Amino acid sequence: MSSSLAAPMPLGAPRRAWLTDLPVLLVAVVWGASYLAAKGITTAHTVLAVLVLRFAVVLPVLVAAGWRRLRALDAAQWRGAGTLGLILAGIFVLETYGVVHTSATNAGLIISLTMIFTPLAEAALTRTRPPRAFLAAAALSVGGVVLLTQGGGFTTPSAGDLLMLLAALARTVHVLAMSRIKAVQGADALSLTTVQLGSAVAVFAVLVALPGTGASPWAVARDFGPVEWAGLLFLAVFCTLFAFFVQMWAVRRTSPSRVSLLLGTEPLWAAAAGIALAGDRLGVLGLAGAALVLAGTAWGRRAVETT
């Protein structure tokens, strides 16, 4: 993928590869757990308010911690990060409304299609053919997700499923944009994350101020108890701040396709969270699907390393 602006993975460096892959896998873990957390604190009437709170909780800390580096960004870097923030806002609006209006099982299955969308979109942009082994590995992983979700009870597709499909496409756009916007290459990852989150929370604040878009952030915050605040902090610190900092850091050290494949294990961790926290049971098909997700991800990593 010679025309990609993401730094290529050096061959013969498995240890360094894992140093990049492990944080991305941890992002997939916390994103998998985010479905239960989001469902526990969000309704269709409070989606935008919760998003404002989720981002606003961490933004002042980020600005204070990285003020000097933030001021060092030039105008092009601000524009690039701001553009990424607008895409990020779209992802969160689509995902959060989607999760509210469908099952967590359906959401996990549909969002995993990012594994297929990203290499196809990257190949189209670079006018190269994706490695067959990689596409086969991604298909194996998606097939595993299908089996995995059968144990959790895949339901009839709904409007929420369409929103999750659009969110998967938006995730693909976000990953590719991070690797192709020249202005953000080499810039401080923390500062870029701060600008992205700031742009996103500005979008949410404008939307929630419009008539008929749901409860205000202040009303929702007032009604939250300790459990809801714990869920919100988990979403803010781990699923937002940590996740997008790692994604920005990793996509510049490997390929967008590799990052998306690793993040594609998210449904596996969503199922694990359901088993551990919600008492879900996978059954034989679900366990087989989990094994296929792991096998497909490992195969895909090797396919990317050898291209």
Side-chain angles (χ1 to χ4, degrees):
M1 301 174 186
S2 58
S3 63
S4 174
L5 294 175
M9 178 72 65
L11 297 179
R15 291 185 180 181
R16 272 187 285 174
W18 272 109
L19 288 177
T20 301
D21 290 349
L22 283 175
V24 179
L25 280 174
L26 186 55
V27 169
V29 172
V30 298
W31 275 357
S34 71
Y35 291 112
L36 284 176
K39 275 189 166 292
I41 67 172
T42 312
T43 67
H45 189 63
T46 64
V47 166
L48 293 173
V50 169
L51 286 174
V52 170
L53 293 172
R54 175 176 175 174
F55 280 56
V57 162
V58 295
L59 195 57
V61 178
L62 283 175
V63 172
W67 180 245
R68 288 186 178 179
R69 286 175 289 180
L70 196 61
R71 292 181 63 187
L73 294 178
D74 60 32
Q77 290 169 334
W78 274 91
R79 288 193 298 271
T83 300
L84 292 174
L86 295 179
I87 301 170
L88 182 61
I91 292 171
F92 273 96
V93 169
L94 291 168
E95 270 191 9
T96 309
Y97 274 112
V99 167
V100 168
H101 291 289
T102 190
S103 67
T105 300
N106 279 30
L109 169 61
I110 295 166
I111 205 68
S112 71
L113 293 175
T114 305
M115 286 188 291
I116 296 295
F117 294 155
T118 301
L120 292 178
E122 189 175 19
L125 288 173
T126 59
R127 297 184 180 181
T128 59
R129 179 175 297 179
R132 290 183 179 180
F134 183 88
L135 290 178
L140 183 66
S141 294
V142 172
V145 172
V146 172
L147 293 179
L148 183 65
T149 55
Q150 294 307 302
F154 185 77
T155 61
T156 303
S158 65
D161 297 327
L162 176 59
L163 293 174
M164 293 305 301
L165 179 62
L166 293 175
L169 291 169
R171 278 196 187 189
T172 297
V173 172
H174 190 255
V175 172
L176 293 175
M178 282 192 293
S179 70
R180 297 183 68 82
I181 296 178
K182 294 182 179 181
V184 302
Q185 302 305 310
D188 176 61
L190 180 60
S191 298
L192 295 177
T193 301
T194 303
V195 176
Q196 282 192 79
L197 297 187
S199 300
V201 77
V203 172
F204 303 145
V206 170
L207 291 177
V208 80
L210 298 176
T213 54
S216 72
W218 330 114
V220 172
R222 185 176 60 249
D223 292 339
F224 270 4
V227 173
E228 288 79 12
W229 275 108
L232 181 72
L233 289 174
F234 171 73
L235 291 172
V237 176
F238 292 100
C239 302
T240 304
L241 173 59
F242 169 75
F244 285 94
F245 178 84
V246 167
Q247 195 177 1
M248 174 68 74
W249 170 81
V251 80
R252 294 186 293 181
R253 287 161 174 79
T254 180
S255 73
S257 296
R258 185 184 179 103
V259 170
S260 289
L261 185 68
L262 292 167
L263 293 178
T265 62
E266 178 183 334
L268 176 64
W269 308 115
I275 292 171
L277 301 176
D280 294 342
R281 295 292 179 267
L282 290 182
V284 175
L285 283 179
L287 292 174
L292 288 180
V293 171
L294 291 175
T297 303
W299 185 15
R301 289 179 64 256
R302 289 195 298 271
V304 171
E305 287 173 3
T306 56
T307 56

